[in-house]
Amino acid sequence: MDRRRKIIGYIVALLAALAQVVTQAAAPVTAAPALLGLGGSASIFRGQAFDTCQAPPLTTLSAWAASEYRAVGVYYSGRARACPRQTYLSARWLSGARDLGWKVLPIFVGSQSPCVRAASKKGYPIGDDPYDQGWDEGMDAVHDASALGILQHSALYLDMEAYNDKNDDCADTTLTFIRSWSAAVRDKGYLPGFYSSAESGVRHLERARRAGMDDLPEAVWFARWKTSPNTAKEPSLSSTAWAPHRRIHQYAGNVTETYGGRKLTIDRNLVDAPVAVID
């Protein structure tokens, strides 16, 4: 009997040790302040994430603990959001998501490029003064994030849907808006991020980086679907651009998954980038 108890004890101890190793391997890391150019730490998450138009109820996030996802993209502000009325999103929702172990990617869908490709976004163009408009919307992004309990050193991601980056006038207007938005967000102690198609907005941003332009976003979230998830080998980006810990790859879109009896239509993402710091 004593020998049997010892064996059981060894097994329990081994399982506990394995659980600790797995937990440590899956845990996000914190970047050094110098990495992202601000005077405080940024929370970096590495792993699978999903984004969906409407922030799901916390009961769904709890059920989705059975999935491989550990971060969720939230469309928290911006005049061009497809789902402007967020039924569940609030400061309490964000702290609840945090307490359930989820990381959050805040997404701001503001004014769109004058040469945006999506018909649903053509009604929200950047106007004749892209610098001032970008700055004002950057301030809006910070204000709305702060009101939800998203703290400084959080990443806020500007969603700029695919546009014709080969149209020089339109591309210049769009880039001026992006840089001004980024400068405003950075000025308030947040990390400006940028989401777009790998074959338009992200490619355009890389050209600007190579040209030595300043006030560019700190992290890039590139959409390239129907390919294997990989943050390091995006063809539109130099291998050293936005590295390390500054990239997200959206590799699939509009897919339906169910966990714990809760169904969502989502986009799939692989993340190695900063996320929100929740109050």
Side-chain angles (χ1 to χ4, degrees):
M1 182 64 71
D2 289 342
R3 183 181 179 186
R4 183 179 179 184
R5 286 177 179 173
K6 287 181 179 179
I7 293 172
I8 292 173
Y10 291 148
I11 293 172
V12 170
L14 178 60
L15 290 174
L18 286 172
Q20 185 176 9
V21 169
V22 170
T23 300
Q24 291 173 345
V29 298
T30 300
L35 176 66
L36 297 169
L38 286 177
S41 294
S43 178
I44 303 296
F45 172 75
R46 299 175 186 170
Q48 295 287 332
F50 73 89
D51 62 277
T52 186
C53 191
Q54 181 77 244
L58 290 175
T59 50
T60 298
L61 284 188
S62 181
W64 274 52
S67 74
E68 64 181 338
Y69 303 105
R70 289 297 175 267
V72 54
V74 175
Y75 293 86
Y76 79 98
S77 186
R79 70 190 188 106
R81 285 181 294 173
C83 294
R85 295 187 62 184
Q86 294 285 328
T87 303
Y88 305 104
L89 184 59
S90 65
R92 180 174 294 182
W93 185 94
L94 285 165
S95 61
R98 176 204 62 202
D99 293 345
L100 286 170
W102 288 87
K103 300 298 180 181
V104 175
L105 296 158
I107 305 166
F108 180 90
V109 192
S111 296
Q112 297 292 295
S113 173
C115 49
V116 66
R117 299 188 189 281
S120 62
K121 302 299 183 186
K122 290 184 181 295
Y124 308 95
I126 298 167
D128 295 334
D129 191 349
Y131 182 87
D132 284 352
Q133 190 174 352
W135 185 272
D136 289 345
E137 292 195 30
M139 289 296 174
D140 290 342
V142 168
H143 175 273
D144 293 349
S146 179
L148 287 168
I150 299 173
L151 302 180
Q152 288 183 325
H153 311 303
S154 296
L156 306 179
Y157 289 89
L158 173 65
D159 182 329
M160 187 68 65
E161 294 297 313
Y163 58 94
N164 182 7
D165 64 304
K166 295 181 180 179
N167 178 326
D168 290 341
D169 289 342
C170 179
D172 288 347
T173 295
T174 306
L175 185 60
T176 298
F177 177 92
I178 294 167
R179 294 173 66 197
S180 182
W181 187 94
S182 298
V185 169
R186 187 182 290 108
D187 183 69
K188 292 301 182 181
Y190 288 77
L191 297 170
F194 179 72
Y195 165 89
S196 192
S197 164
E199 295 291 344
S200 64
V202 172
R203 177 175 62 191
H204 186 196
L205 213 63
E206 171 67 349
R207 292 202 304 270
R209 185 196 67 82
R210 291 183 179 182
M213 292 187 179
D214 58 6
D215 287 333
L216 296 178
E218 297 277 5
V220 293
W221 185 343
F222 51 90
R224 186 180 291 279
W225 294 3
K226 299 180 181 179
T227 186
S228 299
N230 194 317
T231 59
K233 296 182 179 180
E234 165 49 42
S236 293
L237 296 173
S238 166
S239 61
T240 58
W242 286 280
H245 312 310
R246 303 192 192 192
R247 294 187 180 190
I248 302 172
H249 179 195
Q250 185 182 88
Y251 59 92
N254 299 322
V255 296
T256 300
E257 297 186 30
T258 302
Y259 296 97
R262 299 299 181 103
K263 181 190 297 185
L264 290 174
T265 299
I266 65 168
D267 298 334
R268 296 171 177 158
N269 305 276
L270 181 64
V271 181
D272 182 8
V275 293
V277 181
I278 307 299
D279 187 5

